Structure formats: structure tokens, C-alpha cells
Amino acid sequence: MLLMGKLMMTAAKWKTTISVMVGLIIVLLLLCACQKENENSITPTQSTHINSQLILTDNVWEDGVSLNTSCYYVDSTRMLLALNREERKSVGSGDIKYETEQLITYNTVENQVEHIIPLYNNSPVNSAIIHQGKVIYVSYKPKNNKIKWHIIERMDSQEHKIAEGYCESGYDLPALALCGEKPIVLWKDITNNRSGFSVVQENSLRDIFSAEYDWIVDTNMSTNGKEFCFPIYDSKRSKLAIADISGILEKVELDGKITSFAITKDNLLCGLGDYGETDKFHLLNYNFRTGDVKSKSVNEAIYRLQGSDSDYALYVNYQFRIFQINAKKGNEKELYPPVGYYNKPVFFQTGSANFVIAEFLVDNKHEYYKISISE
């Protein structure tokens, strides 16, 4: 009888356990269904944020081969894309194991290719901009456990090497941007143990500022078109430097680990915090015109901040949900991509005060959308 009782109790426990498991499975399925239903229901009403898809078809390439692209530059009417021989593993990846076959200027108004610029050096391109009809780009190759980089200016079929150097990793490769309508480059060169930033001028670099190699943490840079910011390690502390073509304007001390940063017309935005140690995150909002500092706690890490020449910035959370923040007012709202792009890896390039280009990675293909920015 005692054995029978134990068997009945064991059977009851298994029955209860199975019931709980079935219940949990049903709840999870319902949650997934609700999430999918919610995605499908909100996207059509919010899709006005997406102006038009930029379709890059096979027939625009000379060899007729469809290869993945990367966007490096956007202005009010154009994108500058690199056509890579190999696709990158993820949007914005620092993986350097690919080659760039062409640079392409793409008209975002007419939605068509303007120019195809063949490259013949079998090297990847890391950064590129358009300036006064010329394309300036950074190419590189691993060499002797370092990376050799070149800054090249291209006009029609003519190329001119502006500068060259060596760095220790892909995170230290030179980065190009327009600042005050002049091309600037943030660089690190292990040859002379130096780092700094310069203006591209008359087929050469005019140095504005330089320091030791490790003073600049990496060459990740954000610009609003007049000023730019980048991470530094100064006086044994992590900071963000704000600069323009005249030099360093300010060094902003940080309270926490950087998850992402960006600069807008008047504000420096920086996501801070960490997983594992404190699991606490906050957003620093610093008006570098007035000196006003605001910091607010956020529930999760802020990634891929993208600033602009106006007051807005975009960022994503760990689920790749897209948020727009007004740095001046401090208010936020979520932007919803089309069906099929929700929660997909995405990277941004600022186009103007009215839009950004979003580069999505879907099914190992890079797709581009023009996202409107409004209040």
C-alpha cells in the first residue's frame, strides 16, 4: 500500500509537471503570436517614417554579379556605397576580410545609380566621402601582424595617394568625415606612435592635432557637420573629445562605460553602463553650447547612436528596435520599419535634417531605406 501510494504521488507530480510545461508552452506560443500580430498591426500605421526603398539590382554592376554593399557617406541627394567581394557578417561589422571592387554614387532622389568607380588594388575600403566632385577613401591590407592603410583621393580615373601608415587593428583605421565643408581624417599611426586628426588639403594632410597612439581609443567618430567627437583616454580617464577644424574644443568626462555616442547640432549624447557588473544604464545629454548637463536612467543599453546637424538622433536597443530622440527637448519615440524589417540588424547614416539612411541586414543581404525624421 505504501509503495502504491508513492507511485500514485509520483504519477501526480509528473502529471502536474507536464501540465505546467504544456501551460508554459501555450503561453510562449501566445506571446510569440501576440508579438507577431502586434508587429503586423503597428507597421502599416507607422510606415510613413519610411519614404522609399533603395533597390540595388544586379544589372547595375559591370560583371552582373550581385554582391553586398556598405554605405559610407550620405548627403541630401546622394549615397556613396562600397561594393564588396564578400558580404560582411553583420551591419557595421569591423571584419576586414573582404575586398572592395567598386565605389558607387547613388542618387537617393531619383533612386538610381549615378557613377560606378572601379577599384583595382584588391583592398577593402574602410571609409569614404565625397568632396567637391572627388571621392576620398581609406583602403587597407594586413601586413606583418599590423594593418597598412592608405588615404586616396580619386577624381574620374585619376588617383592620388594622400597619406599612408600602420595601425594595430581594424578599430584604429582612419575615419573620414566632412566638417565645416572640409574633409577631415581621424587617424592612428603606430609607425611614429601617434594619433590625431587632420584636414585633407591640396593632395596632402594638414595636421591639426596629434598625441600618443593610445590617446585616441579608436577612430569611431560622430559629426554634426561642424564639430565632431571621438573617444579618448586622457589623464588615465575615459573621455569624449569634442573638436572642429581648429582643434580640440573640450574633453568631456564620463561616468561609466560607453555603449554608444553621437553629436547633434548642440548636444553630445552618450549611452553609458554595462551588463554583468551593475546592469545599470543611463544617457548623458550634454549641451556643449550652454554647458547644461542632463543624465537620465534608462532600462537598457543604448547602441548605434547616430547624430545629425539638427536636434535629433537615432539609436537601437539590443532587439534592434529603432528610437528617435530630440536632444534639445529630451523626448523620444519609436520608429517602425516595414513588415519583415522589425528587430533586424540595422546601421544608420545621416542624410540631412529630414532623413537618415537605414541599412538593414536581412537574409544575408543589405537593404537600404530612407527614414523620415519629424517631430
Side-chain angles (χ1 to χ4, degrees), residues 310-321:
S310 63
D311 290 320
Y312 79 83
L314 297 187
Y315 71 89
V316 298
N317 66 2
Y318 73 99
Q319 296 175 315
F320 291 105
R321 290 169 60 189

Side-chain angles (χ1 to χ4, degrees), residues 222-285:
S222 175
T223 179
N224 60 11
K226 293 182 179 179
E227 294 91 8
F228 57 99
C229 64
F230 53 92
I232 61 173
Y233 191 70
D234 181 70
S235 301
K236 298 182 179 180
R237 293 192 58 110
S238 295
K239 302 177 183 179
L240 283 172
I242 301 175
D244 64 12
I245 58 173
S246 68
I248 301 289
L249 301 176
E250 189 171 356
K251 302 170 187 176
V252 181
E253 292 197 12
L254 305 172
D255 181 20
K257 297 179 181 179
I258 298 174
T259 59
S260 186
F261 66 90
I263 193 170
T264 63
K265 182 177 67 174
D266 301 316
N267 293 69
L268 172 67
L269 298 172
C270 184
L272 297 161
D274 60 83
Y275 284 108
E277 294 184 15
T278 65
D279 286 328
K280 293 182 179 179
F281 304 93
H282 61 280
L283 174 67
L284 172 69
N285 187 344

Side-chain angles (χ1 to χ4, degrees), residues 20 33 99 105 131 136 153 156-157 159 173 179 181 228 233 239 245 275 278 287 310 313-314 330 336 345:
V20 170
E99 296 178 359
T105 56
H131 178 251
I136 305 171
E153 187 176 72
D156 298 324
S157 60
E159 285 194 344
L173 284 165
C179 184
E181 299 184 355
F228 57 99
Y233 191 70
K239 302 177 183 179
I245 58 173
Y275 284 108
T278 65
N287 188 312
S310 63
L314 297 187
Y336 299 99

Side-chain angles (χ1 to χ4, degrees), residues 160-227:
H160 176 78
K161 184 171 67 177
I162 296 173
E164 64 181 9
Y166 287 86
C167 59
E168 293 182 335
S169 76
Y171 297 106
D172 296 340
L173 284 165
L176 294 161
L178 288 181
C179 184
E181 299 184 355
K182 292 184 178 181
I184 61 166
V185 54
L186 186 67
W187 52 266
K188 299 184 72 172
D189 187 1
I190 197 65
T191 307
N192 299 310
N193 193 36
R194 306 300 290 173
S195 64
F197 55 92
S198 310
V199 172
V200 179
Q201 183 175 296
E202 297 179 353
N203 297 328
S204 63
L205 293 186
R206 177 174 64 85
D207 291 344
I208 300 172
F209 176 87
S210 68
E212 292 183 354
Y213 186 88
D214 290 330
W215 190 81
I216 294 179
V217 176
D218 59 54
T219 53
N220 184 18
M221 171 174 53
S222 175
T223 179
N224 60 11
K226 293 182 179 179
E227 294 91 8

Side-chain angles (χ1 to χ4, degrees), residues 38-51 314-316 319-323 333-346 348 358-362 367-372:
N38 183 53
E39 177 186 342
N40 291 334
S41 65
I42 62 176
T43 303
T45 59
Q46 299 291 338
S47 61
T48 53
H49 294 296
I50 310 299
N51 286 340
L314 297 187
Y315 71 89
V316 298
Q319 296 175 315
F320 291 105
R321 290 169 60 189
I322 303 171
F323 296 89
K333 66 177 180 179
E334 185 171 359
L335 303 183
Y336 299 99
V339 174
Y341 292 85
Y342 195 74
N343 295 136
K344 299 298 182 181
V346 62
F348 306 110
E359 178 181 350
F360 292 94
L361 181 62
V362 180
E367 302 285 348
Y368 300 89
Y369 279 82
K370 194 174 180 180
I371 299 184
S372 299

